[in-house]
C-alpha cells in the first residue's frame, strides 16, 4: 500500500478558505444594521399578528345579530384599538423602509429586505381589508336591528288599540 502526502494541498485549501472568510468580513454590512432591520421586521410581524387576533374578536362580535345582547362598547373599544394599531404599523413600516434604504447591502440581502417589506405590507393590507369588512358587517347588522325595531314598534302602535284605550266609561 502506498500513501500520498497531501498535506500541502490541505494547507493551500485552508489558506484560500481563510482568505475568502477575511474578504467576507470586509464586505459584510455591520451586524447591528442587519439586526436592526430584522428586529424591526419581527416586531411589526408580531404587531400584525396581535391586531389580527383583535380583528377576529371584532368580527365575531360584529356578526352577532341579537337585539338584547349588543356588545357596542366592546366593539367600539376594539375598533379604536385596531385603528391605532394599523396607523402605528403603517408608521413603523415606513421607518423600516427608510432603514432598509439607508443601508448599503449586497444584492441578495437587498432583495431579501424588499421581499420582507412587501410581505409585511401585504399582511397589513389584508388586516386592513378584514377590518373594513368587519365594520361593514357591523353597520349592516345595526341597520337590520334598527329595521326590526321599527317593524316591531309600528305593529304595536295600532290606531284602533290606542283609541279603545282612551275611551272613558262613565260610572253610575
Amino acid at each position: 500500500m502506498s500513501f500520498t502526502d497531501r498535506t500541502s494541498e490541505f494547507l493551500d485549501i485552508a489558506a484560500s478558505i481563510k482568505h475568502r472568510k477575511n474578504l467576507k468580513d470586509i464586505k459584510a454590512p455591520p451586524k447591528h444594521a442587519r439586526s436592526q432591520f430584522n428586529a424591526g421586521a419581527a416586531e411589526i410581524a408580531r404587531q400584525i399578528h396581535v391586531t389580527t387576533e383583535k380583528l377576529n374578536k371584532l368580527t365575531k362580535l360584529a356578526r352577532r345579530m341579537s337585539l338584547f345582547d349588543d356588545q357596542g362598547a366592546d366593539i367600539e373599544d376594539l375598533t379604536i384599538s385596531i385603528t391605532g394599531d394599523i396607523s402605528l404599523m403603517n408608521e413603523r413600516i415606513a421607518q423600516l423602509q427608510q432603514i432598509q434604504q439607508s443601508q448599503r447591502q449586497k444584492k441578495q440581502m437587498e432583495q431579501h429586505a424588499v421581499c420582507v417589506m412587501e410581505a409585511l405590507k401585504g399582511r397589513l393590507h389584508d388586516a386592513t381589508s378584514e377590518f373594513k369588512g368587519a365594520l361593514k358587517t357591523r353597520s349592516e347588522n345595526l341597520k337590520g336591528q334598527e329595521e326590526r325595531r321599527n317593524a316591531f314598534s309600528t305593529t304595536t302602535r295600532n290606531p284602533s288599540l290606542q283609541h279603545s284605550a282612551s275611551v272613558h266609561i262613565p260610572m253610575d
Side-chain angles (χ1 to χ4, degrees):
M1 233 198 248
S2 164
F3 292 101
T4 308
D5 184 17
R6 299 184 74 184
T7 306
S8 62
E9 290 177 47
F10 174 76
L11 293 174
D12 289 340
I13 292 172
S16 70
I17 290 173
K18 185 176 181 181
H19 179 68
R20 277 190 237 156
K21 184 179 180 223
N22 288 338
L23 289 178
K24 283 183 182 179
D25 289 342
I26 293 170
K27 292 180 183 177
K31 200 169 195 171
H32 73 279
R34 282 187 290 161
S35 64
Q36 183 182 10
F37 176 82
N38 291 339
E43 179 61 24
I44 291 170
R46 188 192 65 75
Q47 288 175 340
I48 291 172
H49 175 74
V50 168
T51 302
T52 302
E53 288 177 341
K54 289 179 187 178
L55 279 167
N56 290 336
K57 185 175 180 182
L58 176 67
T59 302
K60 286 179 185 177
L61 290 173
R63 287 186 179 157
R64 287 188 181 168
M65 298 183 71
S66 174
L67 283 172
F68 305 107
D69 187 25
D70 188 27
Q71 303 287 328
D74 292 339
I75 291 172
E76 187 174 339
D77 290 344
L78 281 170
T79 301
I80 291 169
S81 176
I82 291 168
T83 303
D85 290 350
I86 289 173
S87 296
L88 181 64
M89 284 184 284
N90 276 322
E91 291 173 14
R92 291 203 174 154
I93 285 176
Q95 291 171 352
L96 190 63
Q97 195 164 13
Q98 288 175 350
I99 291 170
Q100 182 259 329
Q101 290 172 348
S102 70
Q103 296 174 351
R104 306 273 303 163
Q105 299 174 346
K106 292 182 182 178
K107 189 72 173 171
Q108 184 178 7
M109 290 176 64
E110 185 177 329
Q111 288 174 343
H112 172 71
V114 168
C115 288
V116 168
M117 293 299 299
E118 288 176 5
L120 290 172
K121 287 179 183 177
R123 286 181 62 195
L124 183 58
H125 181 270
D126 292 345
T128 303
S129 297
E130 187 179 337
F131 181 53
K132 288 177 184 177
L135 292 178
K136 184 177 179 182
T137 300
R138 173 66 176 165
S139 64
E140 289 171 356
N141 285 347
L142 286 175
K143 188 175 182 180
Q145 287 177 358
E146 186 64 30
E147 289 172 358
R148 285 193 301 272
R149 280 190 191 117
N150 290 337
F152 288 125
S153 65
T154 57
T155 59
T156 59
R157 293 184 186 166
N158 190 346
S160 63
L161 293 175
Q162 290 178 349
H163 179 65
S164 65
S166 64
V167 174
H168 179 68
I169 302 175
M171 296 210 132
D172 292 326

